[in-house]
Amino acid sequence: MNAPDPPGAALTGEQRVAALRETLAAAVAESGKDHFLILTHRSPDPDAMGAAVGMLALIERGFGHKATVATLGRIHRAENLAMVRELGLEFEDCEGLDHGPFAGLVLVDTQPSFGHTKIPSDLPVVAIIDHHEPPPLEDASSSEGSPEHGDKPVATYADAWHEDIRVGVGATSSMVFEYLRAAGVVPDARTAGAIFCGVRYDTGDLAEGVTELDQDAWFDCFRMADQSALQRIQRPNLPPEYFSQLASALRSARQHGTMVLGLLGDVVNPEAVAEMADFFVRLDGCRWSLVGGAYEGQYYLSLRTSVGERGAYNLLGMILEGRGSFGGHGRIAGGRVELNDPMDVDLRELERSLRDRVLAMVGKGADGDGPDSELRLGRPLA
Ligand SMILES: [Mn+2]
């Protein structure tokens, strides 16, 4: 079931395009600059990249302004690296970029208050296009919990920003596809390929919880893309670290009833936790998986629920109990907790408390899968 439609969901694509066009034009008039910076969350996933590339085409070809896409944080996952390589995507590095030329920021697949998103405070936000659950109001106004949460100076122009947040839509890339379609901009093969990858990744190839718009974006962009490139993106070569990470994750993960829990200690890259969570949730009888791992002073968490389930965002919020920052939609959620020094002690404490918290939740919902002790100890996967 999709979430209730937020206000504004009844707008047509044409109305949304007109509103965005007007907001950008006002920003150009006010700043005297004709260039926008498109940003998304740290270490962008395919949906973030697809939405950014689509937004670039919209702003340049649909509206006639200049635009630049900048990213923050390395991309590690083999499929995501293959997407950049095979489609020839080019992004600026957000850090060290001269903000002088830009009239303002267009955010895609994220929102200003999200912990994994860094907003340059000297640039006004002019537009937000996203499908993630907005943070609860008390979170947005409080700086407790995470040093990154709240307390973010966000500037805007007099006319406020263009905000289009539709939690029911499967991918932000689909939303950007709608803008392009309504503006009469036909995506080139590269843009269509990027949007397709975004919809494919965030909806699991339209597996569940999708709208007609996601389906239109998937089918239309598949037709317009280079299909052999899409094939190479889906099954890329994998580096040796992938296999050693997989082996150690398989050794340490445990099945507790209908959940697989893998708290992996240090990981080879932050996206390994998402890869393993995607993999473990496919275990027969598993309804959700939670995987965590430490990388460069941060503890990353990925939560997945199985096909047909939703509520990953709420579940991860309950597990984190106000620690760190998190986001998600449908079956996917991710979070990040800052580790303090000395890191190894803090890491072990954090993993122990996460395990206790999760097992307490599983215990409450125990659905007759053996005695309680078996539920607590868990069953090795391999
Ligand atoms: Mn997304």
Side-chain angles (χ1 to χ4, degrees), residues 45 47-48 109 131-132 170-172 202 329:
D45 59 21
D47 187 36
D109 202 42
H131 69 139
H132 290 90
T172 304
D202 265 24
H329 51 80

Side-chain angles (χ1 to χ4, degrees), residues 76-77 201 242 245-246 249 260-281 289-295 298-304 316 332-336 347 351:
H76 298 273
R77 196 169 175 147
Y201 178 79
Y242 176 88
Q245 179 72 76
L246 177 61
V260 174
L261 180 63
L263 302 176
L264 309 179
D266 290 304
V267 289
V268 295
N269 74 60
E271 288 174 47
V273 300
E275 290 185 279
M276 297 307 147
D278 282 338
F279 184 49
F280 291 156
V281 79
S289 68
L290 179 72
V291 177
Y295 185 80
Q298 305 283 334
Y299 196 79
Y300 293 84
L301 282 158
S302 279
L303 189 146
R304 300 290 184 267
L316 188 55
I332 295 176
R336 201 154 56 99
L347 169 59
E351 290 199 331

Side-chain angles (χ1 to χ4, degrees), residues 3-284:
D5 286 334
L11 296 175
T12 65
E14 285 73 15
Q15 287 169 319
R16 292 195 179 96
V17 166
L20 178 59
R21 186 194 299 271
E22 212 170 283
T23 306
L24 296 192
V28 170
E30 202 166 329
S31 67
K33 297 168 186 173
D34 192 26
H35 197 161
F36 292 92
L37 182 59
I38 301 166
L39 292 183
T40 182
H41 54 79
R42 182 185 289 273
S43 296
D45 59 21
D47 187 36
M49 292 191 278
V53 170
M55 183 53 68
L56 180 72
L58 179 72
I59 294 176
E60 291 192 336
R61 291 168 49 210
F63 299 155
H65 306 302
K66 284 203 282 289
T68 294
V69 179
T71 57
L72 187 67
R74 272 180 59 196
I75 298 168
H76 298 273
R77 196 169 175 147
E79 288 82 352
N80 303 0
L81 287 169
M83 176 177 167
V84 173
R85 186 177 61 239
E86 295 293 339
L87 299 177
L89 306 181
E90 281 171 15
F91 304 126
E92 295 289 330
D93 183 357
C94 195
E95 265 158 3
L97 189 67
D98 175 16
H99 296 164
F102 300 112
L105 301 168
V106 175
L107 298 181
V108 293
D109 202 42
T110 190
Q111 294 167 44
S113 62
F114 286 3
H116 64 353
T117 300
K118 207 167 143 190
I119 307 288
S121 55
D122 56 341
L123 285 176
V125 174
V126 290
I128 302 166
I129 318 282
D130 189 29
H131 69 139
H132 290 90
E133 303 265 0
L137 279 177
E138 61 268 32
D139 276 10
S141 59
S142 141
S143 58
E144 278 179 339
S146 159
E148 295 177 331
H149 235 74
D151 199 28
K152 278 191 179 176
V154 180
T156 187
Y157 285 109
D159 275 352
W161 56 58
H162 172 86
E163 184 174 299
D164 181 5
I165 296 164
R166 280 177 271 167
V167 174
V169 179
T172 304
S173 295
S174 306
M175 297 169 67
V176 174
F177 165 82
E178 184 191 53
Y179 280 84
L180 288 167
R181 184 173 64 183
V185 176
V186 178
D188 57 18
R190 168 191 299 190
T191 307
I195 292 173
F196 175 83
C197 288
V199 182
R200 153 170 280 177
Y201 178 79
D202 265 24
T203 69
D205 275 323
L206 306 177
E208 81 287 334
V210 297
T211 60
E212 209 179 309
L213 178 60
D214 295 302
Q215 294 173 336
D216 288 352
W218 196 102
F219 285 109
D220 286 4
C221 290
F222 182 72
R223 260 183 238 116
M224 291 184 274
D226 172 354
Q227 284 107 18
S228 63
L230 297 182
Q231 180 61 22
R232 291 192 297 275
I233 293 166
Q234 207 183 4
R235 298 187 68 81
N237 290 345
L238 298 165
E241 310 84 88
Y242 176 88
F243 295 91
S244 48
Q245 179 72 76
L246 177 61
S248 76
L250 280 171
R251 273 195 302 274
S252 58
R254 294 288 180 275
Q255 182 183 7
H256 304 268
T258 57
M259 177 206 46
V260 174
L261 180 63
L263 302 176
L264 309 179
D266 290 304
V267 289
V268 295
N269 74 60
E271 288 174 47
V273 300
E275 290 185 279
M276 297 307 147
D278 282 338
F279 184 49
F280 291 156
V281 79
R282 292 168 60 190
L283 177 67
D284 219 0

Side-chain angles (χ1 to χ4, degrees), residues 349-361:
E349 273 169 15
L350 177 64
E351 290 199 331
R352 190 178 312 125
S353 77
L354 285 170
R355 184 182 305 276
D356 288 347
R357 174 80 182 140
V358 167
L359 292 184
M361 288 168 61

